[in-house]
């Protein structure tokens, strides 16, 4: 290694001496290809003393007063290869110009998926032997890019077990816990600077999470002056994408401006699944001012207004009848044109004001961001009243309803054959018949009267309609973090954050489908309590409402959640060993605010519910043992308490204030050990991990045939065990050829038999309480085996070509609890106990890119990626068991289950492409 460093030092001195800058004005860190400065790079010095230097917004760095002697400089920046060289410091000697080599660009794929990024877990000033992580870990690159096509979840964790931040502010949805990537979908140019932590590895923006912690940093001063014009074409979800991004860099007065606008569109004709139209814009505007050498202030706003058609999973029987595993049951023809009943329409802008303080002399950095999120988010769906189900893949319209799903002794093979023929020959059977719904509504002339016989409305009452289900959020948040290095061996990090979220949940009449009005009553209560008209009232404060397009109806409540987090972390670094420890405290409070006084629950539906509170602790510790500058051993251990989300605490928030009995926080124990290698020709990681998640709570809502009503299952005491290993390698076989490989092997199982309580929407009475036998069964929803191996050729004329072969296996459908109760186990075949294992399979991806330097500072780049070139259309990406179970009456008249409904599946797309063209000038 000493020989290598000496060669690097001599080469640097000879090649850079002529263009060196003196220490009074600062020396430049720049891109070796474009010549543009690289602001925000970090320089770690180790020699007679240890220092950390952060390059300013102009790309310049200065060295503080240093003892004369020999220093090792390690330079890292997001998106660039780490550079290490030797610098001999003496009085009056000029500083070297530092040129960083950009990492190879990765072809872009879905904007909706987590795009592989060039994150930087920057090396701190206390490093004696640096663990260079300026480019993303090879395994994380594979799991977020190659494996994403099969909906791979790292270590089997759902999204709520990972943390997504924007400028240090937690962005996971407080109602569900899920990630919020769609809030800035399409803004790839301005979200490339990211810091990623696997498991509980130290990260400066937070205490971390059991999954992946990712912080997107957007600062106008961090991007050099440039303009980017991009056009993309694809056959996946959208057809065309246009983007323009303009950054000024920091001018002489300390101002920086960054703006980006993106347009994504597709009419669904060329998307891979029919009906997936796309109509989206994305925008960003940010301005930053350098107040002095230590203080910056930034104001930014972004949003991604999107309207898109959605495809839903269906059963294999429906796919086979339609002749495609990409059949979409949400669509049908209206007046000859395709129309989608499931449309997601959202626009949730985010405004953030940030202050950054950086005192290089005291090695102190403080960042504070205030954030406000608002707007709307709706999801359309068909609704019907006293009319046949209009969904084409409804079980009664499938041939199996008359054979294997029929009550024993009442099979009708002839009816099954007729329906099979209709599925093949009649588009209005296998798709939604919009024209028929219009005709039924227009013929339904009626007069609606109240309980006293008074006429409320006369006209066409809607039997069918499209409703828009809203979850409109308003959230204020702030987050402050501090990083301080009081001693060269000691680094301290900490932070405070607060979030307050108010989410309006309500339905709006979207389209009356030719009708004039809707009578806003609870149709199930009207059926069950026909003799008491007050029971069917949706809102006793406003009874007998007649609603029309744009009016709220059905349900209306507000979910309120607040969360406060405080954390601190200490890292102590020796020549061979780094150790760290961290503690965190989280307070979460939530309550429901009902806007309706329901007829069924007049005393438990209107106004504020009880306030449900949780106080949680987090503790973690870890160590890195440095065998030498290229080989490392790492271990992390953590204990976490995590509050359940609003969605899993309140039993039936659409109708009442009731919540789970004695709700508990989850308890998570996580441990991992890794070997990491960072050689000039090989980098990678081998990790073994174990996690136990205990006391998870989950709420499920579905139509229960045995109760003939919408039902609520509240599961408590769910424990899961996550055990496995991860391997990621990247080897430079030659100056132009690089090989990569990644392997994930996991065993994700339920470790307990949770308890359940069942209620129904029309009553607060508990109708069933028992145990669900899940222990030892597989957690579904992700491949538990995933592997890829690939080669990339980097041509000397700024082009690269690559191929990856991928394997996915041991994927299981997500289980329904109703099949594993005592009642179901006594009545059903034992074959239904184990979850269905989905088919294993291979895919092959290829990509190519070319960069043409037109003139200094002007580049034209092309990226093409083709996924699944072998056109494997038989590889499921996921599936779930339906919650409903067919029942029949026994001799005593009780409803007993006799046949589960078929699982619903989704499939990996066949051959798709994404072509990206960028002009940077």
């Amino acid at each position: 290694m000493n020989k290598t460093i000496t060669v690097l030092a001599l080469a640097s001195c000879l090649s850079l001496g002529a263009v060196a800058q003196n220490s009074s004005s600062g020396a430049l860190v720049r891109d070796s290809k474009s010549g543009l400065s690289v602001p925000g790079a970090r320089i770690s010095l180790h020699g007679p003393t240890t220092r950390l230097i952060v390059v300013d917004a102009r790309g310049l760095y200065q060295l503080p007063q240093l003892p004369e002697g020999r220093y090792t400089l390690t330079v890292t920046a997001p998106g660039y290869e780490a550079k290490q060289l030797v610098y001999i410091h003496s009085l009056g000697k000029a500083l070297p110009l530092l040129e960083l080599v950009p990492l190879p660009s990765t072809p872009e794929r879905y904007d909706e998926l987590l795009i592989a990024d060039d994150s930087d877990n920057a090396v701190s000033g206390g490093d004696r032997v640096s663990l260079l992580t300026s480019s993303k870990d090879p395994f994380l690159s594979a799991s977020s890019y190659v494996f994403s096509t099969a909906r791979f979840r790292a270590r089997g964790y759902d999204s709520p077990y990972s943390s997504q931040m924007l400028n240090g502010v937690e962005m996971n949805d407080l109602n569900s816990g899920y990630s919020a990537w769609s809030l800035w979908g399409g803004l790839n140019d301005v979200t490339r600077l990211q810091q990623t932590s696997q498991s509980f590895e130290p990260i400066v923006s937070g205490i971390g999470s059991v999954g992946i912690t990712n912080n997107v940093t957007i600062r106008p001063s961090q991007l050099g002056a440039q303009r980017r014009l991009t056009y993309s074409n694809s056959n996946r979800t959208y057809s065309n994408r246009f983007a323009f991004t303009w950054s000024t860099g920091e001018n002489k007065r300390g101002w920086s401006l960054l703006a980006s606008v993106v347009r994504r569109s597709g009419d669904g004709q060329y998307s891979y699944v029919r009906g997936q139209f796309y109509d989206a814009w994305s925008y960003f505007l940010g301005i930053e001012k350098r107040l002095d050498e230590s203080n910056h202030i930034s104001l930014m706003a972004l949003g991604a207004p999107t309207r898109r058609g959605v495809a839903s999973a269906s059963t294999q029987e429906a796919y086979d009848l339609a002749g495609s595993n990409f059949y979409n049951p949400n669509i049908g023809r209206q007046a000859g044109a395709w129309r989608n009943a499931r449309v997601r329409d959202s626009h949730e802008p985010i405004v953030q004001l940030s202050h950054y303080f950086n005192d290089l002399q005291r090695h102190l950095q403080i960042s504070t961001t205030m954030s406000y999120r608002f707007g709307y988010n709706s999801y359309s769906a068909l609704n019907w009243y006293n009319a046949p189900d209009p969904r084409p893949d409804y079980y009664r319209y499938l041939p199996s309803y008359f054979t294997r799903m029929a009550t024993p002794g009442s099979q009708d093979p002839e009816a099954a054959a007729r329906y099979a023929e209709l599925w093949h020959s009649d588009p209005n059977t296998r798709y939604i018949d919009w024209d028929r719904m219009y005709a039924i509504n227009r013929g339904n002339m009626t007069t609606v009267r109240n309980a006293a016989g008074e006429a409320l409305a006369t006209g066409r009452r809607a039997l069918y309609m499209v409703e828009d289900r809203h979850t409109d959020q308003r959230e204020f948040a702030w987050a402050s973090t501090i990083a301080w290095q009081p001693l060269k061996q000691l680094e301290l990090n900490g932070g405070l954050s607060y979030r307050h979220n108010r989410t309006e949940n309500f339905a709006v009449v979207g389209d009356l489908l030719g009708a004039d009005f809707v009578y806003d009553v609870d149709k199930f209560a009207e059926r069950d309590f026909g003799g008491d008209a007050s029971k069917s009232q949706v809102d006793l404060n406003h009874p007998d409402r007649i609603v029309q397009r744009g009016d709220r109806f059905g349900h209306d409540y507000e979910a309120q959640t607040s969360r406060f987090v405080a954390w601190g972390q200490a890292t102590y670094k020796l020549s061979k060993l780094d150790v760290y420890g961290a503690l965190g405290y989280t307070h979460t409070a939530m309550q429901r605010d009902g806007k309706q006084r329901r007829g069924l629950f007049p005393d438990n539906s209107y106004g504020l519910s009880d306030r449900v509170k949780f106080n949680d602790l987090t503790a973690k510790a870890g160590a890195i043992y440095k065998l030498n500058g290229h080989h490392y051993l790492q271990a992390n251990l953590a204990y976490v308490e995590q509050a359940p989300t609003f969605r899993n605490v309140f039993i039936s928030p659409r109708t009442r204030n009731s919540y789970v009995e004695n709700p508990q926080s989850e308890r998570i124990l996580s441990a991992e050990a890794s070997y990491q290698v960072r050689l000039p020709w090989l980098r990678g990681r081998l990790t073994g991990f174990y996690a136990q998640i205990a006391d998870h709570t989950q709420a499920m809502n579905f139509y229960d045939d045995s109760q003939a009503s919408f039902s609520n299952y509240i599961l408590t005491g769910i424990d899961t065990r996550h055990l496995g290993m991860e391997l990621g390698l990247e080897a430079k076989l030659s100056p132009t050829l690089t090989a990569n490989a990644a392997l994930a092997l996991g065993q994700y199982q339920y470790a307990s038999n949770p308890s359940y309580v069942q209620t129904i929407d029309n009553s607060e009475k508990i109708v069933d309480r028992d145990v669900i036998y899940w222990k030892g069964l597989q957690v579904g929803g992700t491949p538990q085996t995933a592997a890829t191996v690939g080669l990339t050729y980097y041509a000397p004329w700024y082009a690269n070509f690559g191929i990856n072969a991928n394997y996915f296996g041991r994927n299981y459908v997500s289980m329904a609890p109703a099949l594993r109760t005592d009642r179901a186990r006594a009545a059903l075949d034992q074959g239904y106990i184990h979850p269905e294992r989905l088919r294993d399979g291979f895919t092959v991806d290829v990509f190519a890119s070319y960069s043409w330097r037109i003139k200094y500072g002007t580049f034209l780049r092309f990226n093409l990626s083709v996924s699944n070139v072998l056109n494997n259309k038989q590889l499921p990406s996921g599936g779930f068991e339906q919650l409903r179970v067919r029942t029949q009456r026994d001799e005593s008249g009780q409803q007993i289950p006799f046949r589960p409904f078929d699982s619903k599946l989704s499939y990996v797309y066949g051959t798709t492409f994404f072509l990206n063209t960028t002009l940077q000038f």
Side-chain angles (χ1 to χ4, degrees), residues 136-184:
K136 175 172 273 192
D137 172 277
F139 179 83
L140 291 181
S141 294
S143 62
S144 63
Y145 180 64
V146 178
F147 293 167
S148 62
T149 58
R151 300 183 183 179
F152 174 81
R153 301 199 311 260
R155 303 187 182 181
Y157 302 139
D158 281 330
S159 183
Y161 297 103
S162 293
S163 178
Q164 177 59 56
M165 290 179 279
L166 178 65
N167 288 329
V169 177
E170 182 92 23
M171 300 302 295
N172 289 59
D173 191 318
L174 280 175
N175 297 286
S176 65
Y178 281 85
S179 178
W181 273 94
S182 61
L183 295 177
W184 50 85

Side-chain angles (χ1 to χ4, degrees), residues 658-722:
S658 302
Y659 54 88
V660 176
E661 299 174 345
N662 190 27
Q664 301 291 320
S665 292
E666 297 178 35
R667 294 175 292 108
I668 305 170
L669 181 64
S670 172
E672 65 177 19
S674 300
Y675 163 71
Q676 301 190 42
V677 59
R678 291 291 186 271
L679 293 168
W681 63 274
L682 176 68
R683 64 188 182 98
R685 169 173 64 88
L686 174 64
T687 298
F689 63 87
Y690 171 84
Q692 181 93 7
I693 301 175
D695 291 334
H696 176 65
T697 299
Q698 187 173 359
M700 297 181 175
N701 311 102
F702 65 102
Y703 187 86
D704 188 342
D705 292 76
S706 64
Q707 301 291 337
S709 181
F710 272 98
S711 177
N712 312 292
Y713 261 45
I714 305 300
L715 282 63
T716 57
I718 304 173
D719 298 352
T720 56
R721 182 175 57 248
H722 303 255

Side-chain angles (χ1 to χ4, degrees), residues 864-883:
L864 173 65
S865 65
V866 182
S867 300
N868 197 358
V869 294
L870 300 180
N871 202 28
N872 181 358
K873 297 181 180 181
Q874 304 299 319
L875 176 60
S877 60
F880 58 91
E881 295 175 346
Q882 296 191 64
L883 295 172

Side-chain angles (χ1 to χ4, degrees), residues 213-480:
T213 301
N214 179 268
N215 182 36
V216 175
T217 300
I218 309 178
R219 290 185 59 182
S221 66
Q222 297 295 300
L223 278 75
Q226 61 176 287
R227 286 161 290 179
R228 290 169 62 97
L229 182 63
T230 302
Y231 169 72
S232 308
N233 183 255
S234 175
N235 67 335
R236 293 168 181 167
T237 52
Y238 56 80
S239 302
N240 300 286
R241 176 179 180 266
F242 298 90
F244 178 71
T245 301
W246 175 44
S247 59
T248 64
E250 186 175 301
N251 63 21
K252 295 180 179 179
R253 296 184 177 181
W255 289 97
S256 308
L257 179 68
L258 174 61
S260 183
V261 61
V262 181
R263 170 66 170 154
R264 291 169 293 168
S265 63
D267 60 7
Q269 182 177 356
Y270 300 105
S271 61
Y272 199 84
V273 177
R274 181 177 288 169
Q276 284 186 322
F277 72 86
Y278 217 100
D279 181 10
W281 290 86
S282 304
Y283 59 85
F284 175 89
L285 180 62
I287 188 169
E288 185 173 343
K289 177 67 169 69
R290 175 171 51 85
L291 304 177
D292 54 41
E293 290 302 319
S294 297
N295 292 276
H296 286 69
I297 191 167
S298 172
L299 177 66
M300 55 162 259
L302 61 83
T306 302
R307 189 172 183 272
R308 60 185 179 89
V310 176
S312 293
S314 193
T315 63
Q316 190 60 54
E317 180 183 12
Y319 290 142
D320 293 341
L321 289 167
S324 171
N325 286 336
F326 308 98
Y327 160 72
N328 185 0
N330 296 334
I331 63 173
R333 288 192 178 273
Q334 179 183 334
W338 289 106
R339 178 177 178 180
N340 197 323
R342 291 275 188 169
V343 176
R344 186 170 291 282
D345 187 7
S346 63
H347 182 202
E348 298 182 272
I350 300 172
V351 179
Q352 290 190 339
L353 177 65
S354 302
H355 174 259
Y356 303 96
F357 174 80
N358 188 2
D359 188 329
L360 295 178
Q361 298 299 321
R362 291 190 293 169
H363 306 287
L364 178 64
Q365 299 177 50
I366 303 175
S367 301
T368 300
T369 297
M370 291 186 293
S371 178
Y372 184 63
R373 169 184 174 183
F374 59 101
Y376 67 88
N377 182 14
S378 70
Y379 195 17
S380 69
L382 286 170
N383 194 346
W384 56 97
Y385 170 81
N386 199 25
D389 194 318
R391 297 171 297 177
D393 60 346
Y394 181 53
Y395 77 101
R396 290 177 179 266
Y397 308 148
L398 297 173
S400 61
Y401 174 69
F402 303 95
T403 53
R404 57 187 172 84
M405 295 296 290
T407 303
S410 61
Q411 289 84 357
D412 188 347
E414 293 183 1
R418 288 196 300 271
Y419 268 86
E421 176 58 30
L422 287 172
W423 265 82
H424 292 302
S425 62
D426 182 14
N428 288 327
T429 296
R430 63 179 179 270
Y431 294 110
I432 295 173
D433 191 345
W434 291 98
D435 294 336
R436 179 174 176 271
M437 288 190 290
Y438 271 85
I440 290 174
N441 277 350
R442 286 168 178 158
N444 188 42
M445 293 294 297
T446 187
T447 297
V448 176
R449 301 180 183 275
N450 62 16
E454 299 169 341
L456 300 175
T458 298
R460 294 184 289 263
R461 179 181 179 180
L463 298 181
Y464 293 103
M465 61 173 291
V466 175
E467 66 174 270
D468 296 328
R469 301 167 182 171
H470 279 253
T471 53
D472 297 351
Q473 302 198 32
R474 290 166 293 157
E475 178 172 302
F476 169 77
W478 65 263
S480 293

Side-chain angles (χ1 to χ4, degrees), residues 849-912:
S849 69
Y850 172 64
S851 180
W852 175 31
R853 179 174 172 175
I854 300 174
K855 62 179 182 179
Y856 180 81
T858 302
F859 295 86
L860 183 62
R861 296 187 175 94
F862 301 94
N863 294 285
L864 173 65
S865 65
V866 182
S867 300
N868 197 358
V869 294
L870 300 180
N871 202 28
N872 181 358
K873 297 181 180 181
Q874 304 299 319
L875 176 60
S877 60
F880 58 91
E881 295 175 346
Q882 296 191 64
L883 295 172
R884 295 183 67 178
V885 180
R886 285 284 280 155
T887 62
Q888 62 178 338
R889 292 191 182 276
D890 62 10
E891 296 178 355
S892 65
Q894 295 293 320
Q895 292 281 2
I896 61 170
F898 78 90
R899 182 84 187 195
F901 283 72
D902 291 349
S903 297
K904 290 197 172 184
L905 309 174
S906 56
Y907 282 83
V908 171
Y909 290 172
T911 303
T912 59

Side-chain angles (χ1 to χ4, degrees), residues 61-109:
Y61 75 96
Q62 291 182 335
L63 297 184
Q65 292 185 353
L66 298 173
E68 293 188 358
R70 179 189 181 94
Y71 290 85
T72 298
L73 275 67
T74 302
V75 191
T76 59
Y80 292 89
E81 294 182 0
K83 184 182 185 72
Q84 193 172 73
L85 55 91
V86 170
Y87 169 67
I88 309 299
H89 178 65
S90 59
L91 185 64
K93 183 176 181 178
L95 299 178
L97 167 73
L98 300 176
E99 289 193 320
L100 299 181
V101 177
L103 290 166
S105 60
T106 302
E108 295 177 282
R109 292 190 174 189

Side-chain angles (χ1 to χ4, degrees), residues 443-583:
N444 188 42
M445 293 294 297
T446 187
T447 297
V448 176
R449 301 180 183 275
N450 62 16
E454 299 169 341
L456 300 175
T458 298
R460 294 184 289 263
R461 179 181 179 180
L463 298 181
Y464 293 103
M465 61 173 291
V466 175
E467 66 174 270
D468 296 328
R469 301 167 182 171
H470 279 253
T471 53
D472 297 351
Q473 302 198 32
R474 290 166 293 157
E475 178 172 302
F476 169 77
W478 65 263
S480 293
T481 59
I482 182 172
W484 182 37
Q485 189 178 349
L487 303 171
K488 63 180 182 180
Q489 299 94 349
L490 179 64
E491 182 175 337
L492 301 176
N493 300 94
L496 298 172
S497 66
Y498 175 76
R499 301 173 67 187
H500 181 70
N501 181 287
R502 301 169 70 96
T503 300
E504 294 182 88
N505 296 265
F506 60 92
V508 169
V509 179
D511 191 340
L512 287 169
L513 304 182
D516 298 322
F517 64 87
V518 171
Y519 184 29
D520 189 18
V521 293
D522 185 331
K523 56 188 177 183
F524 291 102
E526 187 180 49
R527 179 199 65 188
D528 296 339
F529 305 96
D532 187 349
S534 66
K535 295 289 188 182
S536 64
Q537 292 298 321
V538 168
D539 187 3
L540 291 172
N541 295 333
H542 302 88
D544 296 319
R545 291 183 68 235
I546 300 297
V547 294
Q548 297 174 318
R549 183 169 184 174
D551 293 337
R552 294 193 184 192
F553 83 110
H555 69 275
D556 191 353
Y557 69 95
E558 190 174 84
Q560 301 180 10
T561 305
S562 60
R563 177 168 293 169
F564 171 78
V565 178
W567 63 278
Q569 178 176 281
T571 304
Y572 195 78
K573 304 189 177 187
L574 302 171
S575 59
K576 285 287 188 178
L577 181 67
D578 294 352
V579 293
Y580 79 92
L583 292 173

